[in-house]
Amino acid sequence: MRDLLRKGLDAYENRQERRDENLARSVSSNVEAMSHRPTLKKYVYLLSGVNLLFWASVLLRPYDVLTAFNKVAEINNKIVFLVLTSIFGIGMWLTYSIFRLKFPDLENRTESNEVMSAFADQENSTRKIRIWVASVAFGFLNLLGLAITEGLLVSN
């Protein structure tokens, strides 16, 4: 029995590791694609358009959005979670893409033995962390703004 449980647990851990590796590979390929400026501009336009569609649907048809959201919530909460995380993710990636336009060398790692190279690496690392935190914050604010706008428009 113990061997059977161990075998099942090992299989689960292997599947989880593969999923994590695939997610990391996907995020890494998206970040690498953003180093190409024309592709980055396409990301910004695409994400801005999708975010604008979310906002337009909430501003123009708030009752329909709420009705659809409630019907989907009755059927499956996972779909609601998927919609909310996609709104958050779009806001986050849009912000990160805009920052990448301003700082195109953000993810470039420099290998040098100069006197101030450690300071430059630390400064770049701090900038990356701040940009990711700002991106997450804007993604959350985007989601919160949509929810509050929806609530205010439906309550009136």
Side-chain angles (χ1 to χ4, degrees):
M1 182 69 178
R2 182 177 287 183
D3 292 336
L4 182 64
L5 287 174
R6 174 55 54 197
K7 187 177 179 181
L9 184 60
D10 288 342
Y12 172 76
E13 287 175 350
N14 288 337
R15 282 193 310 267
Q16 191 64 35
E17 286 176 6
R18 280 192 304 250
R19 282 189 210 131
D20 292 345
E21 288 172 2
N22 288 339
L23 178 65
R25 196 176 311 119
S26 173
V27 169
S28 177
S29 68
N30 282 331
V31 169
E32 286 178 21
M34 289 183 179
S35 64
H36 188 244
R37 203 131 173 103
T39 305
L40 181 59
K41 287 182 181 180
K42 289 177 186 176
Y43 264 77
V44 170
Y45 293 144
L46 177 71
L47 294 171
S48 298
V50 172
N51 197 32
L52 189 64
L53 285 174
F54 279 129
W55 275 95
S57 65
V58 166
L59 290 173
L60 298 176
R61 309 287 289 200
Y63 295 106
D64 295 338
V65 170
L66 183 64
T67 304
F69 201 75
N70 288 335
K71 285 182 182 179
V72 168
E74 289 174 6
I75 297 170
N76 192 349
N77 285 334
K78 289 182 180 179
I79 298 173
V80 171
F81 181 73
L82 180 69
V83 169
L84 293 177
T85 54
S86 65
I87 293 171
F88 166 77
I90 287 170
M92 182 184 77
W93 279 105
L94 176 62
T95 307
Y96 181 76
S97 299
I98 291 171
F99 276 121
R100 281 299 296 266
L101 281 173
K102 181 160 176 58
F103 304 109
D105 62 340
L106 183 65
E107 297 292 333
N108 294 348
R109 183 118 168 93
T110 57
E111 298 291 331
S112 65
N113 293 328
E114 295 178 15
V115 175
M116 296 298 287
S117 65
F119 177 74
D121 287 344
Q122 177 66 30
E123 185 177 297
N124 191 31
S125 177
T126 303
R127 183 183 321 145
K128 270 195 270 192
I129 290 170
R130 287 181 181 162
I131 287 173
W132 276 109
V133 167
S135 299
V136 168
F138 183 78
F140 180 73
L141 288 174
N142 185 42
L143 178 62
L144 188 66
L146 274 169
I148 289 172
T149 303
E150 173 76 20
L152 288 175
L153 290 175
V154 170
S155 67
N156 290 335

